[in-house]
Amino acid sequence: MDNVDKALLATPVTAPEPRQWPARFGDELYRFALGRVTDAVAAEELVQETFVSALAALPSFRGQASERTWLFAILKRKIIDHYRRQARSPFVSLASAADEEAPESRFFHARGGHWREEEYPTDWEVGSEEGRGDVLLEQQEFHAILQRCQQRLPPQQLAVFVLRFVEELPAEDICQELRITPSNYWVIVHRAKLQLRRCLEKNWFQDPAAAKAKK
Amino acid sequence: MSNAFFLFNCQQATLLLERRADERLSAPTRVQLWAHLKLCPLCRRYEAQSRLLARQARPAAEAPVPDTLQLPAAARRRLQQLVDAHAGGPGSDNHA
Ligand SMILES: [Zn+2]
């Protein structure tokens, strides 16, 4: 039976052991998912979807990667799917940027395109590339606020921002996944950055407590 | 800010900054963007902040989850049932 020969040739050092997955990888996959979607229920679902897909694909697992690497690769795919679903839900219609009021108008004057005075970016003192050797606590708080600000983005902006800057997918891949044109993609990145920088400025850089902690 | 050479406004300049992160801009566009940034401290701030956001997004996604955080017990049970049910099928457990 050449089936057997093939199986022997391809025998991985360790065969996958699905029954061990929850104990060995459950927490780690869950934590990873939680950082990406920040919603506990969605994170659980992502781990479950990962296991379902992995079980279905088990016959094709040849041990070329470790079980752990393989499961994480599947989870990453599930996270992309999650954001794609959200961005493409029928309640979101930003793909045609024209039908909704452009959020840019909140930041820039309609005529002339200059910054509105109340939206002038303030100096965050982060011009230097080095992170100023920030105190760990401060970093943690900054990250927490960034995450909270992210969650306030409309679904499509959130999807684009996460796929580009957290998952670090190339722009072309994101355009394909979300079925948007490159120019729409940049408009959405721009909008997401405008909203995020504003949210951070309000909640971090102008917060008196945070400012005090910086001293 | 009105200057005959000042061809991009702030809205366009900041949009181009995002584009520049993903693709090479044409030479004239690069020059005009450079000129805008030279003259516009607000867009220079935007540029620094936009970079900071890009740099911190991933660490932020990884940071807030403490190592002690575990999969809730109910979810773990569900997952165990899922994999156990599958393991009952053919083709599993046959390695030495
Ligand atoms: Zn400007």
Side-chain angles (χ1 to χ4, degrees):
Chain A
M1 254 202 214
D2 69 341
N3 246 350
V4 173
D5 292 343
K6 269 185 203 156
L8 280 175
L9 282 172
T11 298
V13 183
T14 51
E17 295 172 297
R19 302 176 87 151
Q20 304 296 320
W21 288 350
R24 286 172 63 194
F25 309 116
D27 292 335
E28 214 185 341
L29 289 165
Y30 176 66
R31 280 197 291 270
F32 185 90
L34 203 50
R36 297 324 202 251
V37 298
T38 65
D39 172 70
V41 176
E44 279 175 29
E45 280 170 9
L46 285 169
V47 178
Q48 183 166 337
E49 285 174 28
T50 299
F51 282 3
V52 170
S53 290
L55 290 171
L58 210 49
S60 69
F61 179 78
R62 288 283 178 270
Q64 65 278 72
S66 78
E67 227 168 327
R68 181 177 171 281
T69 308
W70 183 61
L71 288 171
F72 269 95
I74 297 173
L75 175 58
K76 282 179 191 164
R77 184 63 237 173
K78 295 295 168 194
I79 290 166
I80 295 170
D81 289 345
H82 168 85
Y83 280 109
R84 194 183 50 194
R85 273 199 305 271
Q86 291 210 320
R88 287 210 256 157
S89 102
F91 305 105
V92 182
S93 66
L94 203 129
S96 52
D99 24 295
E100 98 158 23
E101 202 209 327
E104 287 86 347
S105 64
R106 279 174 36 214
F107 299 94
F108 303 102
H109 286 290
R111 286 169 63 91
H114 194 259
W115 290 97
R116 286 181 183 278
E117 217 163 303
E118 65 276 20
E119 297 293 342
Y120 277 8
T122 61
D123 189 358
W124 292 2
E125 297 170 12
V126 292
S128 67
E129 277 296 307
E130 300 314 312
R132 293 184 301 156
D134 288 340
V135 190
L136 184 65
L137 176 72
E138 197 182 333
Q139 282 267 5
Q140 282 175 349
E141 278 173 32
F142 177 77
H143 286 154
I145 294 172
L146 175 54
Q147 288 257 298
R148 249 179 289 147
C149 288
Q150 243 171 266
Q151 294 312 311
R152 282 190 219 159
L153 291 175
Q156 196 168 27
Q157 287 175 34
L158 176 65
V160 167
F161 185 82
V162 169
L163 295 182
R164 182 67 188 87
F165 300 107
V166 179
E167 302 308 325
E168 296 174 350
L169 293 186
E172 310 97 84
D173 293 11
I174 299 172
C175 290
Q176 271 188 9
E177 294 288 352
L178 304 183
R179 295 197 195 141
I180 51 179
T181 62
S183 45
N184 258 336
Y185 162 82
W186 284 305
V187 167
I188 295 164
V189 170
H190 188 221
R191 287 177 180 176
K193 291 270 189 80
L194 283 167
Q195 319 249 34
L196 284 176
R197 63 151 299 283
R198 176 182 204 259
C199 178
L200 279 166
E201 197 153 283
K202 290 232 148 68
N203 294 286
W204 173 251
F205 292 96
Q206 285 173 4
D207 181 69
K212 220 182 355 186
K214 271 197 206 173
K215 292 213 165 152
Chain B
M1 301 208 168
S2 54
N3 181 320
F5 299 102
F6 206 73
L7 296 177
F8 294 134
N9 63 40
C10 295
Q11 185 176 337
Q12 293 163 332
T14 51
L15 178 63
L16 282 167
L17 283 171
E18 301 303 341
R19 251 182 95 160
R20 194 180 64 179
D22 288 312
E23 66 166 23
R24 196 169 163 76
L25 303 175
S26 72
T29 306
R30 280 207 306 278
V31 172
Q32 287 171 52
L33 182 58
W34 176 84
H36 184 104
L37 291 173
K38 200 85 184 150
L39 294 168
C40 181
L42 296 174
C43 286
R44 284 206 300 276
R45 283 179 186 166
Y46 175 92
E47 183 186 21
Q49 294 169 5
S50 169
R51 285 208 175 130
L52 179 82
L53 289 171
R55 230 176 23 237
Q56 292 296 325
R58 193 180 186 124
E62 280 156 9
V65 187
D67 282 354
T68 49
L69 208 134
Q70 292 181 340
L71 190 65
R76 185 186 302 276
R77 272 196 304 278
R78 253 196 339 269
L79 291 173
Q80 195 63 53
Q81 281 165 8
L82 181 79
V83 292
D84 286 350
H86 182 88
S92 62
D93 266 346
N94 55 1
H95 63 284

